[in-house]
Amino acid sequence: MNHRSSSKPMLYTLGFLFCLISAFAVFFTGVKVGADKVEAKYEKLNADGQSSESFAYYRQTDLVTFYHNVFSPYREFKRNWNEQVDLLVRGNGADRTEILKNLRNSAKSAYSQVTQDSIFDESALLKQGQLNILKSLRLFSEAAGKASSSSGNEQAVKALKNGELAAGAVRYGLLAQSNYYDSMLKWGSQKNSAIPSETGDLKMIPLAKWDKMPLLLKNAAIAEIMRNRGIFENYEPQDVTAKIDNLIRSGKAASLKLKDIQSITSLLVSTGALRENDFSKWRQQYYSKETLPQLSFFFD
């Protein structure tokens, strides 16, 4: 009798332990399943290129889409705008009315070519760049329209080069360019841990610091310099980068006692030494091992 009564507490204890162990097993299984689901969610965000405040991701496909649908049409427009304005500046019997008409039509045509749908919601810098280019083209069209009411070439040129509308158009265009090159830097930082995601404070870049910077950071820094100085030319930031690197590696920068990138850029711009596609001259020699997105103007 005593044996039976003493076995009951033992059975209750064993039953309690069994339930406790089962509860822990269920709990830890749930934790693992939940963790797996969270990891799978973030892996999908990576794969799809979705972004949030704490999980931004820039895809190469977005950079390529931006190039073909936004940047390239604007690039062609910029080239045409600079050439037509230069014709007006030089005169040489150029038909002012026809040039201004062409400029306005060119801005309107480029505006229609640039994708106006919001297709970069997951890449904030690209979305902002798209909006800035559309703003730039609209202001260029208005600037050409205002210049058409000018009484002569001199007033028309002043409106196109220094007028409020044209200045705003250039400002938005250069900001869009900076947005794009900052996006490339973000993309590069996700591909290569040695590449920073932001330019940081680059108000003055000594040559020693420049020499250690990856190409995408150099390009983003030059885009920022071009924006700050209002340099609206046919050449791209990588063309300026390549020209600077060649000037340094050839020893000319040292012979001219140039000690920072800002002073070298000023010299190159003021002497008209920069040309479109300068980057292609030194791409293989200087940048064959650099991380770059597959964009045509890097490989043409």
Side-chain angles (χ1 to χ4, degrees):
M1 186 71 178
N2 290 338
H3 177 73
R4 288 180 182 178
S5 61
S6 63
S7 65
K8 287 183 179 180
M10 180 70 71
L11 291 173
Y12 289 140
T13 302
L14 290 174
F16 174 77
L17 289 174
F18 177 80
C19 291
L20 190 63
I21 292 170
S22 298
F24 274 110
V26 170
F27 172 78
F28 285 113
T29 300
V31 169
K32 185 179 187 305
V33 170
D36 289 343
K37 286 182 178 179
V38 170
E39 290 176 5
K41 178 182 177 181
Y42 283 132
E43 285 173 3
K44 187 176 187 302
L45 286 173
N46 266 331
D48 293 345
Q50 295 178 359
S51 63
S52 65
E53 187 175 342
S54 61
F55 204 86
Y57 196 80
Y58 282 78
R59 299 177 298 186
Q60 179 167 253
T61 53
D62 289 333
L63 297 176
V64 173
T65 298
F66 187 92
Y67 179 83
H68 288 293
N69 295 300
V70 180
F71 195 76
S72 184
Y74 188 77
R75 192 183 183 205
E76 291 300 317
F77 162 79
K78 180 174 67 173
R79 185 182 296 112
N80 180 66
W81 178 275
N82 286 334
E83 289 173 356
Q84 293 293 310
V85 171
D86 186 55
L87 278 176
L88 200 60
V89 169
R90 289 187 284 112
N92 297 333
D95 187 333
R96 176 172 62 90
T97 302
E98 187 66 22
I99 287 176
L100 293 173
K101 180 182 177 181
N102 289 339
L103 286 175
R104 191 169 190 181
N105 289 339
S106 177
K108 289 181 177 180
S109 176
Y111 190 96
S112 67
Q113 291 176 50
V114 171
T115 300
Q116 296 178 45
D117 294 332
S118 183
I119 57 176
F120 302 107
D121 290 334
E122 297 166 354
S123 305
L125 287 169
L126 294 178
K127 182 179 181 179
Q128 194 60 48
Q130 178 188 14
L131 292 173
N132 286 330
I133 279 181
L134 289 170
K135 290 177 183 178
S136 176
L137 290 169
R138 178 176 54 79
L139 287 174
F140 270 125
S141 177
E142 293 176 7
K146 186 173 183 178
S148 298
S149 62
S150 302
S151 58
N153 274 23
E154 186 176 344
Q155 286 188 344
V157 168
K158 185 177 180 180
L160 295 175
K161 292 183 74 70
N162 303 311
E164 183 179 352
L165 290 171
V170 166
R171 187 164 56 251
Y172 277 119
L174 291 174
L175 179 55
Q177 177 176 263
S178 191
N179 292 149
Y180 191 30
Y181 282 82
D182 284 344
S183 297
M184 296 182 211
L185 186 62
K186 294 276 190 188
W187 170 85
S189 71
Q190 293 163 172
K191 296 294 180 182
N192 186 338
S193 60
I195 299 175
S197 62
E198 297 179 353
T199 57
D201 184 7
L202 297 175
K203 291 181 181 179
M204 190 62 65
I205 310 173
L207 299 194
K209 182 175 182 178
W210 174 267
D211 188 54
K212 297 176 182 178
M213 289 165 59
L215 177 59
L216 289 176
L217 179 56
K218 289 180 178 180
N219 289 346
I222 292 298
E224 187 175 319
I225 290 173
M226 293 176 72
R227 177 174 66 87
N228 292 335
R229 300 190 180 188
I231 303 172
F232 190 76
E233 299 293 340
N234 295 344
Y235 49 78
E236 313 294 345
Q238 65 267 19
D239 297 319
V240 182
T241 293
K243 198 77 172 182
I244 290 173
D245 281 337
N246 183 255
L247 197 70
I248 294 172
R249 298 189 187 200
S250 66
K252 292 179 181 178
S255 65
L256 293 170
K257 300 186 183 332
L258 299 170
K259 298 181 179 179
D260 59 79
I261 298 308
Q262 282 75 7
S263 60
I264 294 179
T265 303
S266 296
L267 175 66
L268 293 174
V269 171
S270 63
T271 56
L274 294 161
R275 295 288 182 274
E276 190 177 2
N277 297 321
D278 272 344
F279 177 78
S280 62
K281 297 178 184 178
W282 294 291
R283 179 173 61 85
Q284 289 294 339
Q285 184 177 354
Y286 297 154
Y287 311 114
S288 61
K289 296 181 180 179
E290 291 280 353
T291 299
L292 281 174
Q294 293 295 315
L295 301 172
S296 58
F297 66 176
F298 286 139
F299 299 97
D300 285 346

